[in-house]
Amino acid sequence: MAFIDKNFLLNSDIAQSLYSKYASGLPIIDYHCHIDPEEIASDRKYDNITQIMLGGDHYKWRLMRAAGVPEEKITGGASDKEKFTAFASVLPKAIGNPIYHWTHIELKKYFGYEGLLSERTADEVWELCNDVISESSLSARKIIGMSNVEVICTTDDPIDSLQPHERCEADQSLKTKVIPAFRPDKAVKINAPGFSTYIEKLGTAAGIKIQTMEDLYSALRARIEHFDAHGCRISDHGLDTIVYREAKAPELDAILAKGMEGAKGMEGAKLSQEEEEAYITAVMLFLGREYARRNWIMQLHYGALRNVNSQMFRALGPDTGYDCIGETTCGNALARYLDALNEDNLLPKTIVYSLNGNDNAMIDTLVGCFQNGKASGWMQHGAAWWFNDTLYGMKDHLENYAAHSMLGTFIGMLTDSRCFLSFSRHDYFRRILCDWIAELILSGQYPEDEKALKELIEGISYYNAKQYFGLE
């Protein structure tokens, strides 16, 4: 029997029925990912399975390092065949890790392979997958089509031209809608190396010389308008933590000037914690209000401790698998931030994600304080994200959401990935969702009401996101 069969993760007749009737055939709205829009616009072609499955996927890189694979066979100069064989040889050790499941789902869905990937089968799988890539011209767009993806929301810097999005929009052969998201992290992180250089680039993109906070606001507003004209209705923030410290305009101008001068070095600015927090608060308040005025949705991702291995960061740069879950004690600051926007009647639809699962109940109860009658689920607890998108992490997220909020309004899964094969994670989530709901039914905690179950599962899997993001 194949490892990944039609009833994978569906541990009861009820779960199997719910999945097959209400979840399996729905399209995908991937409202947060890191796919390069240029690869969609140009319909990137691949030479082999390593380029598709391992290229840029730091989830898999971390597994290989944990098993002692030398960096040469992960991100180094080894051949693609050697890298794939190295990954295959360590995969059987990854019991309990979602990557073991994801990899076999990907091999079955996109390449028709129903066996088990290991060192023994590496050559067989390498040849099979490469034959499929060659014979079927497996490209970025073909993978998107096979995945039934209706909408992809990429992650884009304010200085981006969005030219790839223009090409996607103009290409009538592309049936999937590709939408940019506004990600101004580099304008927010004043203590980061390269901040001054980035602000100069932002000013150039906006046609504004940035010297004061008002100049900065004008530049950000101009880029928001540019994104808005290209169909963007979603912002995204990757924050180390949430802070809240108010300051007056003259103090903020002085902080910006100090940050611009100090950040010219590779070490970043030498601002105090209080100065950094005051700047971040001011910029985040400005941005939140601008989003609300345009009916944009704001995403707040926090809780990652980034680039903790300084030696490897110097060697490989960011987003290469050297981030981890950080401690978070920022519930008070998050509450004050949301409340300040709400006081101005300028709190946009907001999705809050913490990388630390210990924050689940806090987020669910906090966002509940700011729900309103404008829309179902105006405030959202974002999907189990990054290190949390495991079988156990997703169930914990669902349990907290259901216990402290209203799960039926949840907008469902995302990939948060740079790999096109990762769209299969939506199916992984839907199976877990149906099995979890079936457990409640079997234990007498929810009735077997077909009409209600249909609405719940279809909503969480697809329709809630479609409505929330205005894609109807």
Side-chain angles (χ1 to χ4, degrees):
M1 184 177 70
F3 169 52
I4 305 291
D5 64 11
K6 66 178 183 178
N7 294 325
F8 177 61
L9 297 179
L10 303 169
N11 297 305
S12 67
D13 290 341
I14 294 176
Q16 294 164 18
S17 176
L18 294 176
Y19 171 77
S20 64
K21 288 194 291 188
Y22 306 132
S24 64
L26 291 172
I28 288 172
I29 294 176
D30 199 43
Y31 57 87
H32 172 69
C33 73
H34 295 278
I35 284 174
D36 184 350
E38 174 58 35
E39 295 189 3
I40 305 174
S42 62
D43 194 17
R44 181 185 173 184
K45 309 299 190 294
Y46 302 93
D47 296 325
N48 56 60
I49 182 59
T50 299
Q51 293 179 6
I52 300 179
M53 182 172 280
L54 299 178
D57 192 340
H58 53 75
Y59 283 74
K60 297 185 176 85
W61 297 350
R62 287 173 64 95
L63 270 190
M64 296 168 76
R65 290 173 187 138
V69 175
E71 198 64 32
E72 175 75 5
K73 294 184 178 181
I74 303 173
T75 62
S79 69
D80 285 349
K81 174 71 181 298
E82 290 174 307
K83 290 177 179 178
F84 182 77
T85 300
F87 174 66
S89 69
V90 304
L91 188 62
K93 300 176 184 178
I95 184 171
N97 193 301
I99 294 173
Y100 189 83
H101 294 160
W102 296 344
T103 300
H104 287 98
I105 291 171
E106 292 164 5
L107 288 172
K108 180 174 182 178
K109 180 176 181 63
Y110 301 105
F111 302 98
Y113 182 71
E114 298 193 0
L116 300 177
L117 180 60
S118 68
E119 186 172 22
R120 296 189 305 275
T121 62
D123 287 345
E124 170 194 353
V125 178
W126 171 263
E127 295 297 334
L128 169 67
C129 292
N130 292 344
D131 286 346
V132 171
I133 291 169
S134 175
E135 293 170 7
S136 65
S137 300
L138 194 64
S139 65
R141 291 194 188 183
K142 185 155 188 178
I143 294 170
I144 291 170
M146 292 173 68
S147 306
N148 197 19
V149 183
E150 188 174 285
V151 179
I152 297 172
C153 188
T154 60
T155 304
D156 307 274
D157 191 279
I159 68 174
D160 288 346
S161 69
L162 302 183
Q163 192 268 344
H165 289 87
E166 293 176 357
R167 288 158 55 202
C168 288
E169 181 67 23
D171 189 342
Q172 295 184 359
S173 68
L174 178 61
K175 304 306 179 185
T176 301
K177 191 170 185 63
V178 183
I179 303 173
F182 186 78
R183 175 101 171 206
D185 292 0
K186 293 179 181 178
V188 175
K189 296 181 178 181
I190 192 171
N191 258 340
F195 173 78
S196 180
T197 300
Y198 178 78
I199 293 300
E200 290 175 1
K201 291 179 180 178
L202 176 63
T204 299
I208 296 170
K209 184 174 178 60
I210 300 175
Q211 295 178 309
T212 67
M213 290 296 287
E214 284 302 320
D215 297 335
L216 176 65
Y217 296 155
S218 295
L220 287 170
R221 188 182 295 113
R223 298 312 294 169
I224 288 172
E225 291 170 355
H226 173 72
F227 272 60
D228 192 83
H230 284 77
C232 176
R233 300 294 182 270
I234 305 170
S235 71
D236 184 37
H237 295 268
L239 303 162
D240 297 333
T241 187
I242 306 293
V243 300
Y244 193 87
R245 185 183 297 274
E246 294 183 350
K248 302 294 185 182
E251 180 183 354
L252 290 167
D253 283 341
I255 292 171
L256 176 61
K258 184 177 178 181
M260 289 283 287
E261 183 62 31
K264 289 180 180 178
M266 287 302 293
E267 302 82 10
K270 300 299 183 182
L271 298 175
S272 68
Q273 180 178 336
E274 291 77 12
E275 290 172 325
E276 181 181 19
E277 289 180 357
Y279 172 83
I280 292 173
T281 300
V283 175
M284 290 300 297
L285 285 171
F286 166 79
L287 290 170
R289 291 164 181 149
E290 289 297 313
Y291 303 151
R293 291 186 179 105
R294 291 167 176 78
N295 295 317
W296 279 23
I297 293 159
M298 177 169 67
Q299 297 182 92
L300 303 174
H301 291 83
Y302 74 91
L305 193 58
R306 298 181 184 273
N307 307 315
V308 299
N309 186 327
S310 300
Q311 185 180 99
M312 294 308 295
F313 174 67
R314 289 192 296 271
L316 299 178
D319 304 319
T320 53
Y322 293 97
D323 306 328
C324 65
I325 297 171
E327 295 182 58
T328 60
T329 55
C330 57
N332 291 344
L334 178 58
R336 292 181 68 192
Y337 174 65
L338 298 177
D339 188 54
L341 295 175
N342 195 59
E343 280 290 283
D344 295 336
N345 293 315
L346 289 173
L347 176 62
K349 283 182 178 177
T350 302
I351 310 171
V352 180
Y353 312 76
S354 173
L355 196 57
N356 193 321
N358 291 328
D359 286 0
N360 281 346
M362 180 274 288
I363 292 174
D364 285 317
T365 56
L366 176 54
V367 299
C369 297
F370 296 97
Q371 302 290 10
N372 56 50
K374 296 179 182 178
S376 173
W378 182 270
M379 305 291 292
Q380 289 276 333
H381 180 186
W385 162 56
W386 198 350
F387 293 117
N388 298 314
D389 56 6
T390 67
L391 174 64
Y392 316 104
M394 289 183 195
K395 285 187 175 181
D396 184 63
H397 177 274
L398 291 171
E399 288 170 2
N400 276 280
Y401 209 128
H404 301 293
S405 188
M406 182 171 283
L407 186 62
T409 65
F410 177 39
I411 57 175
M413 193 52 182
L414 45 75
T415 61
D416 186 45
S417 176
R418 293 166 174 79
C419 176
F420 284 87
L421 301 184
S422 297
F423 292 121
S424 58
R425 295 179 196 173
H426 284 263
D427 183 65
Y428 191 68
F429 165 78
R430 291 172 183 179
R431 290 172 179 271
I432 292 168
L433 172 69
C434 291
D435 191 67
W436 181 80
I437 289 176
E439 288 177 5
L440 295 184
I441 295 169
L442 289 167
S443 63
Q445 297 181 63
Y446 196 84
E448 196 170 356
D449 180 336
E450 285 293 324
K451 183 177 180 181
L453 291 166
K454 180 179 188 294
E455 184 175 343
L456 276 170
I457 294 169
E458 290 183 347
I460 295 169
S461 298
Y462 171 70
Y463 287 105
N464 291 350
K466 191 177 182 72
Q467 181 181 40
Y468 190 79
F469 292 103
L471 300 169
E472 296 182 300

